[in-house]
Amino acid sequence: QVQLVESGGGVVQPGGSLRLSCAASGIRFRLYPLEWYRQAPGKERERVATIFDTGLTNYPPSVKGRFTISRDNANNTVYLQMNSLNPEDTAMYYCSLTTADLKYWGQGTQVTVSS
């Protein structure tokens, strides 16, 4: 079955950086778009980055210029490099893979930005 496992979350000071990883298994990874989402307590889940099978990327204005999504198809891993973090970036971060039929989710990794 398809599994997505995130890692790399933690506590970071404002202005700092983190790199999240998401390892996939059970699927032909390179064929599908991959996304990162986040959800803060009391808020809706928000998409923060998309990378298509072509390598094309897309970001919402809230993170554009600060976050970078990348993929390593050889190792079935997608990354999210987050720079210039601020307290509003505090959330649980999830990776997601979308096929024609289903959207798969990982279990999430917590990112806390605090001084």
Side-chain angles (χ1 to χ4, degrees):
Q1 71 276 22
V2 178
Q3 283 193 317
L4 301 173
V5 180
E6 300 97 334
S7 61
V11 179
V12 62
Q13 292 189 340
S17 298
L18 278 177
R19 189 174 84 151
L20 307 183
S21 300
C22 174
S25 61
I27 194 164
R28 294 178 69 184
F29 179 86
R30 63 181 179 86
L31 299 179
Y32 302 106
L34 298 153
E35 295 174 301
W36 285 95
Y37 287 76
R38 67 184 179 188
Q39 188 166 22
K43 294 188 176 181
E44 293 187 355
R45 191 168 292 192
E46 172 192 22
R47 183 186 67 88
V48 296
T50 301
I51 186 164
F52 297 93
D53 58 321
T54 58
L56 187 67
T57 59
N58 183 268
Y59 307 91
S62 58
V63 306
K64 194 169 186 177
R66 300 190 299 123
F67 289 13
T68 303
I69 188 171
S70 60
R71 64 192 296 164
D72 179 351
N73 290 332
N75 291 298
N76 284 8
T77 303
V78 60
Y79 302 98
L80 185 68
Q81 177 67 43
M82 304 186 294
N83 299 328
S84 302
L85 287 162
N86 58 64
E88 290 70 39
D89 296 314
T90 294
M92 185 72 78
Y93 283 71
Y94 301 89
C95 69
S96 178
L97 182 150
T98 303
T99 70
D101 302 313
L102 291 172
K103 194 172 188 73
Y104 298 94
W105 296 91
Q107 83 290 347
T109 186
Q110 177 68 38
V111 172
T112 302
V113 184
S114 174
S115 55

